[in-house]
Amino acid sequence: MSTPDTPESTRKQPARPATYAEAGVSIEAGNALVRAIAPLVRATRRPGADAEIGGFGGIFDPKAAGYADPLLVAATDGVGTKLKLAIDTNRHGSIGQDLVAMCVNDLIVQGAEPLFFLDYFATGKLETGVAETVVAGIARACTEAGCALIGGETAEMPGMYAAGDYDLAGFAVGAVERDRLLTGDRVVDGNLLLGLASSGAHSNGYSLLRRLAEGADLMAPAPFDPSRPLIEALLQPTRLYVKPLLPLLKAGRIHALAHVTGGGLLENVPRVLPEGCRAVIDAASWPLPPLFQWLQERGAMEPAELARTFNCGIGMVLAVAPHEAEAVTATLAEAGETVFAIGHVTAGPKGCEVRGGAGLWGQAGGWTASHDV
């Protein structure tokens, strides 16, 4: 039996036309953010990029940047659960530098100059003040690293994130002349290892760090540094190593670089060693920063766990020829870096070992932490 069509007059009609804003997405807020950050983006201009936003894609001209036969190197990263600390304490000003540094520091280890950067900011409800603060930090860091911020994406996704939460990702592309690509193939037995001081925990190990900091008053003076709140020490932004290292790389004076990120010293240094080379690091050659001493004590951490979770005060490791070590150290010191002679490369199974004596890293006796590839 057929059923007659429902009369037009009896069909259920929506009370009012549905809008995207009612679903939780504000196109106006997104447009306002673009207008607010446009001057920040424009300030990152460099040869090869006009740093204007609003198109569907960003354009970069390597030839205008001065490259003859470049290889492009790309990196992407986030800032891990350090972001949770920033959100929970409403401190968003430095997290953008963490994002940029984690990407561009990975480019420099292959000899590449960072050329441009894009960011991805995702949240449940766009709060333009927070987003603008984050992007301002990204733009400042891009300027310091010499790369252009040529675009990004702001995603407002109701129901995907808790109120106030957001996530970040960064994407960086760099260039290196083909004959200057850093692969680690120049590393040999007898090379010396130099360590550049980190600014803090950078952006790794924060799932453990946050657990170790539980119960501590984040707004009170840091137990290891009464001059500032604990949260400020925990959120100290990742150091940018690009500008101090680029001249040395272009001069061919560095054999290899290792960015000390997740995996710490033990797992990152071997990544740039050829087969048959082993890194031997002396923990007595630099002071374990008070932050890491505090973390070690709160967690009763063993040296091996400390050395494969945190950077332990060394954010970048350089392998150099012995006759270059003194001059390279002096050049980096003039550029504002704190440099330590932390060890050497020897013949042996590919890997890394960190050695310490009694009293170092909270241990009563001598110790060796090692990782073989």
Side-chain angles (χ1 to χ4, degrees), residues 135-159:
V135 175
I138 291 172
R140 286 194 301 270
C142 282
T143 300
E144 186 175 339
C147 64
L149 178 58
I150 65 169
E153 167 71 359
T154 302
E156 192 173 18
M157 299 184 287

PDB file of all heavy atoms in Angstrom, residues 135-159:
ATOM      1  N   VAL A 135      51.917  31.703  18.094  1.00  0.00           N
ATOM      2  CA  VAL A 135      52.488  32.012  16.777  1.00  0.00           C
ATOM      3  C   VAL A 135      53.558  33.105  16.897  1.00  0.00           C
ATOM      4  O   VAL A 135      54.556  33.081  16.177  1.00  0.00           O
ATOM      5  CB  VAL A 135      51.381  32.418  15.783  1.00  0.00           C
ATOM      6  CG1 VAL A 135      51.994  32.860  14.454  1.00  0.00           C
ATOM      7  CG2 VAL A 135      50.432  31.252  15.553  1.00  0.00           C
ATOM      8  N   ALA A 136      53.364  34.043  17.818  1.00  0.00           N
ATOM      9  CA  ALA A 136      54.392  35.065  18.028  1.00  0.00           C
ATOM     10  C   ALA A 136      55.702  34.427  18.464  1.00  0.00           C
ATOM     11  O   ALA A 136      56.782  34.830  18.015  1.00  0.00           O
ATOM     12  CB  ALA A 136      53.919  36.080  19.071  1.00  0.00           C
ATOM     13  N   GLY A 137      55.624  33.403  19.323  1.00  0.00           N
ATOM     14  CA  GLY A 137      56.830  32.682  19.729  1.00  0.00           C
ATOM     15  C   GLY A 137      57.459  31.931  18.576  1.00  0.00           C
ATOM     16  O   GLY A 137      58.690  31.877  18.448  1.00  0.00           O
ATOM     17  N   ILE A 138      56.625  31.362  17.721  1.00  0.00           N
ATOM     18  CA  ILE A 138      57.129  30.673  16.530  1.00  0.00           C
ATOM     19  C   ILE A 138      57.855  31.661  15.623  1.00  0.00           C
ATOM     20  O   ILE A 138      58.950  31.386  15.127  1.00  0.00           O
ATOM     21  CB  ILE A 138      55.968  29.996  15.777  1.00  0.00           C
ATOM     22  CG1 ILE A 138      55.409  28.820  16.598  1.00  0.00           C
ATOM     23  CG2 ILE A 138      56.422  29.508  14.399  1.00  0.00           C
ATOM     24  CD1 ILE A 138      54.139  28.227  16.022  1.00  0.00           C
ATOM     25  N   ALA A 139      57.253  32.833  15.405  1.00  0.00           N
ATOM     26  CA  ALA A 139      57.845  33.831  14.514  1.00  0.00           C
ATOM     27  C   ALA A 139      59.178  34.335  15.060  1.00  0.00           C
ATOM     28  O   ALA A 139      60.148  34.490  14.310  1.00  0.00           O
ATOM     29  CB  ALA A 139      56.874  34.991  14.320  1.00  0.00           C
ATOM     30  N   ARG A 140      59.244  34.592  16.366  1.00  0.00           N
ATOM     31  CA  ARG A 140      60.514  35.048  16.957  1.00  0.00           C
ATOM     32  C   ARG A 140      61.604  34.010  16.765  1.00  0.00           C
ATOM     33  O   ARG A 140      62.753  34.339  16.422  1.00  0.00           O
ATOM     34  CB  ARG A 140      60.330  35.332  18.451  1.00  0.00           C
ATOM     35  CG  ARG A 140      59.571  36.609  18.770  1.00  0.00           C
ATOM     36  CD  ARG A 140      59.730  36.984  20.241  1.00  0.00           C
ATOM     37  NE  ARG A 140      59.241  35.928  21.128  1.00  0.00           N
ATOM     38  CZ  ARG A 140      57.994  35.840  21.575  1.00  0.00           C
ATOM     39  NH1 ARG A 140      57.095  36.742  21.188  1.00  0.00           N
ATOM     40  NH2 ARG A 140      57.635  34.858  22.388  1.00  0.00           N
ATOM     41  N   ALA A 141      61.263  32.749  16.986  1.00  0.00           N
ATOM     42  CA  ALA A 141      62.258  31.687  16.844  1.00  0.00           C
ATOM     43  C   ALA A 141      62.683  31.512  15.390  1.00  0.00           C
ATOM     44  O   ALA A 141      63.857  31.246  15.107  1.00  0.00           O
ATOM     45  CB  ALA A 141      61.707  30.376  17.402  1.00  0.00           C
ATOM     46  N   CYS A 142      61.735  31.646  14.465  1.00  0.00           N
ATOM     47  CA  CYS A 142      62.085  31.564  13.042  1.00  0.00           C
ATOM     48  C   CYS A 142      63.075  32.671  12.677  1.00  0.00           C
ATOM     49  O   CYS A 142      64.053  32.433  11.949  1.00  0.00           O
ATOM     50  CB  CYS A 142      60.835  31.670  12.177  1.00  0.00           C
ATOM     51  SG  CYS A 142      59.860  30.150  12.077  1.00  0.00           S
ATOM     52  N   THR A 143      62.836  33.864  13.163  1.00  0.00           N
ATOM     53  CA  THR A 143      63.753  34.974  12.898  1.00  0.00           C
ATOM     54  C   THR A 143      65.138  34.666  13.440  1.00  0.00           C
ATOM     55  O   THR A 143      66.149  34.893  12.769  1.00  0.00           O
ATOM     56  CB  THR A 143      63.208  36.275  13.513  1.00  0.00           C
ATOM     57  OG1 THR A 143      61.935  36.573  12.925  1.00  0.00           O
ATOM     58  CG2 THR A 143      64.148  37.432  13.257  1.00  0.00           C
ATOM     59  N   GLU A 144      65.188  34.134  14.665  1.00  0.00           N
ATOM     60  CA  GLU A 144      66.481  33.808  15.268  1.00  0.00           C
ATOM     61  C   GLU A 144      67.202  32.705  14.497  1.00  0.00           C
ATOM     62  O   GLU A 144      68.428  32.696  14.408  1.00  0.00           O
ATOM     63  CB  GLU A 144      66.297  33.387  16.725  1.00  0.00           C
ATOM     64  CG  GLU A 144      67.591  33.177  17.476  1.00  0.00           C
ATOM     65  CD  GLU A 144      67.425  32.866  18.945  1.00  0.00           C
ATOM     66  OE1 GLU A 144      66.349  33.186  19.502  1.00  0.00           O
ATOM     67  OE2 GLU A 144      68.361  32.304  19.551  1.00  0.00           O
ATOM     68  N   ALA A 145      66.436  31.776  13.944  1.00  0.00           N
ATOM     69  CA  ALA A 145      67.039  30.672  13.188  1.00  0.00           C
ATOM     70  C   ALA A 145      67.288  31.034  11.731  1.00  0.00           C
ATOM     71  O   ALA A 145      67.863  30.251  10.982  1.00  0.00           O
ATOM     72  CB  ALA A 145      66.151  29.433  13.263  1.00  0.00           C
ATOM     73  N   GLY A 146      66.816  32.218  11.292  1.00  0.00           N
ATOM     74  CA  GLY A 146      67.042  32.663   9.924  1.00  0.00           C
ATOM     75  C   GLY A 146      66.145  32.019   8.898  1.00  0.00           C
ATOM     76  O   GLY A 146      66.471  32.008   7.705  1.00  0.00           O
ATOM     77  N   CYS A 147      65.009  31.483   9.323  1.00  0.00           N
ATOM     78  CA  CYS A 147      64.099  30.860   8.359  1.00  0.00           C
ATOM     79  C   CYS A 147      62.781  31.620   8.310  1.00  0.00           C
ATOM     80  O   CYS A 147      62.370  32.243   9.291  1.00  0.00           O
ATOM     81  CB  CYS A 147      63.859  29.383   8.674  1.00  0.00           C
ATOM     82  SG  CYS A 147      63.047  29.037  10.233  1.00  0.00           S
ATOM     83  N   ALA A 148      62.128  31.573   7.177  1.00  0.00           N
ATOM     84  CA  ALA A 148      60.875  32.289   6.981  1.00  0.00           C
ATOM     85  C   ALA A 148      59.698  31.428   7.419  1.00  0.00           C
ATOM     86  O   ALA A 148      59.648  30.228   7.130  1.00  0.00           O
ATOM     87  CB  ALA A 148      60.714  32.676   5.518  1.00  0.00           C
ATOM     88  N   LEU A 149      58.754  32.032   8.110  1.00  0.00           N
ATOM     89  CA  LEU A 149      57.491  31.388   8.421  1.00  0.00           C
ATOM     90  C   LEU A 149      56.557  31.671   7.241  1.00  0.00           C
ATOM     91  O   LEU A 149      56.056  32.778   7.090  1.00  0.00           O
ATOM     92  CB  LEU A 149      56.915  31.959   9.724  1.00  0.00           C
ATOM     93  CG  LEU A 149      55.549  31.432  10.188  1.00  0.00           C
ATOM     94  CD1 LEU A 149      55.570  29.928  10.380  1.00  0.00           C
ATOM     95  CD2 LEU A 149      55.129  32.143  11.465  1.00  0.00           C
ATOM     96  N   ILE A 150      56.373  30.671   6.381  1.00  0.00           N
ATOM     97  CA  ILE A 150      55.663  30.934   5.125  1.00  0.00           C
ATOM     98  C   ILE A 150      54.212  30.467   5.136  1.00  0.00           C
ATOM     99  O   ILE A 150      53.508  30.613   4.140  1.00  0.00           O
ATOM    100  CB  ILE A 150      56.391  30.319   3.917  1.00  0.00           C
ATOM    101  CG1 ILE A 150      56.400  28.792   3.996  1.00  0.00           C
ATOM    102  CG2 ILE A 150      57.798  30.870   3.793  1.00  0.00           C
ATOM    103  CD1 ILE A 150      56.878  28.138   2.714  1.00  0.00           C
ATOM    104  N   GLY A 151      53.746  29.914   6.247  1.00  0.00           N
ATOM    105  CA  GLY A 151      52.358  29.497   6.296  1.00  0.00           C
ATOM    106  C   GLY A 151      52.099  28.540   7.439  1.00  0.00           C
ATOM    107  O   GLY A 151      52.964  28.288   8.280  1.00  0.00           O
ATOM    108  N   GLY A 152      50.894  28.020   7.476  1.00  0.00           N
ATOM    109  CA  GLY A 152      50.513  27.081   8.520  1.00  0.00           C
ATOM    110  C   GLY A 152      49.037  26.784   8.437  1.00  0.00           C
ATOM    111  O   GLY A 152      48.349  27.183   7.496  1.00  0.00           O
ATOM    112  N   GLU A 153      48.549  26.071   9.431  1.00  0.00           N
ATOM    113  CA  GLU A 153      47.144  25.685   9.478  1.00  0.00           C
ATOM    114  C   GLU A 153      46.640  25.838  10.899  1.00  0.00           C
ATOM    115  O   GLU A 153      47.295  25.402  11.857  1.00  0.00           O
ATOM    116  CB  GLU A 153      46.968  24.234   9.014  1.00  0.00           C
ATOM    117  CG  GLU A 153      45.622  23.613   9.313  1.00  0.00           C
ATOM    118  CD  GLU A 153      44.487  24.186   8.465  1.00  0.00           C
ATOM    119  OE1 GLU A 153      44.727  25.093   7.629  1.00  0.00           O
ATOM    120  OE2 GLU A 153      43.346  23.740   8.646  1.00  0.00           O
ATOM    121  N   THR A 154      45.508  26.490  11.040  1.00  0.00           N
ATOM    122  CA  THR A 154      44.825  26.579  12.329  1.00  0.00           C
ATOM    123  C   THR A 154      43.530  25.795  12.210  1.00  0.00           C
ATOM    124  O   THR A 154      42.645  26.159  11.420  1.00  0.00           O
ATOM    125  CB  THR A 154      44.536  28.048  12.698  1.00  0.00           C
ATOM    126  OG1 THR A 154      45.758  28.778  12.724  1.00  0.00           O
ATOM    127  CG2 THR A 154      43.874  28.130  14.064  1.00  0.00           C
ATOM    128  N   ALA A 155      43.421  24.720  12.980  1.00  0.00           N
ATOM    129  CA  ALA A 155      42.253  23.839  12.892  1.00  0.00           C
ATOM    130  C   ALA A 155      41.424  23.955  14.166  1.00  0.00           C
ATOM    131  O   ALA A 155      41.922  23.725  15.269  1.00  0.00           O
ATOM    132  CB  ALA A 155      42.698  22.398  12.683  1.00  0.00           C
ATOM    133  N   GLU A 156      40.162  24.333  13.997  1.00  0.00           N
ATOM    134  CA  GLU A 156      39.226  24.400  15.116  1.00  0.00           C
ATOM    135  C   GLU A 156      38.298  23.198  15.007  1.00  0.00           C
ATOM    136  O   GLU A 156      37.516  23.082  14.060  1.00  0.00           O
ATOM    137  CB  GLU A 156      38.437  25.710  15.060  1.00  0.00           C
ATOM    138  CG  GLU A 156      37.657  26.009  16.324  1.00  0.00           C
ATOM    139  CD  GLU A 156      37.015  27.391  16.296  1.00  0.00           C
ATOM    140  OE1 GLU A 156      36.875  27.973  15.202  1.00  0.00           O
ATOM    141  OE2 GLU A 156      36.641  27.884  17.367  1.00  0.00           O
ATOM    142  N   MET A 157      38.400  22.275  15.984  1.00  0.00           N
ATOM    143  CA  MET A 157      37.684  21.001  15.887  1.00  0.00           C
ATOM    144  C   MET A 157      36.942  20.710  17.182  1.00  0.00           C
ATOM    145  O   MET A 157      37.491  20.061  18.089  1.00  0.00           O
ATOM    146  CB  MET A 157      38.669  19.877  15.559  1.00  0.00           C
ATOM    147  CG  MET A 157      39.399  20.065  14.233  1.00  0.00           C
ATOM    148  SD  MET A 157      40.483  18.682  13.796  1.00  0.00           S
ATOM    149  CE  MET A 157      41.817  18.929  14.973  1.00  0.00           C
ATOM    150  N   PRO A 158      35.721  21.199  17.306  1.00  0.00           N
ATOM    151  CA  PRO A 158      34.932  20.949  18.523  1.00  0.00           C
ATOM    152  C   PRO A 158      34.774  19.456  18.784  1.00  0.00           C
ATOM    153  O   PRO A 158      34.554  18.667  17.868  1.00  0.00           O
ATOM    154  CB  PRO A 158      33.579  21.597  18.191  1.00  0.00           C
ATOM    155  CG  PRO A 158      33.868  22.581  17.105  1.00  0.00           C
ATOM    156  CD  PRO A 158      34.995  21.999  16.307  1.00  0.00           C
ATOM    157  N   GLY A 159      34.913  19.079  20.043  1.00  0.00           N
ATOM    158  CA  GLY A 159      34.751  17.684  20.423  1.00  0.00           C
ATOM    159  C   GLY A 159      36.024  16.868  20.360  1.00  0.00           C
ATOM    160  O   GLY A 159      36.064  15.745  20.870  1.00  0.00           O
TER     161      GLY A 159
END
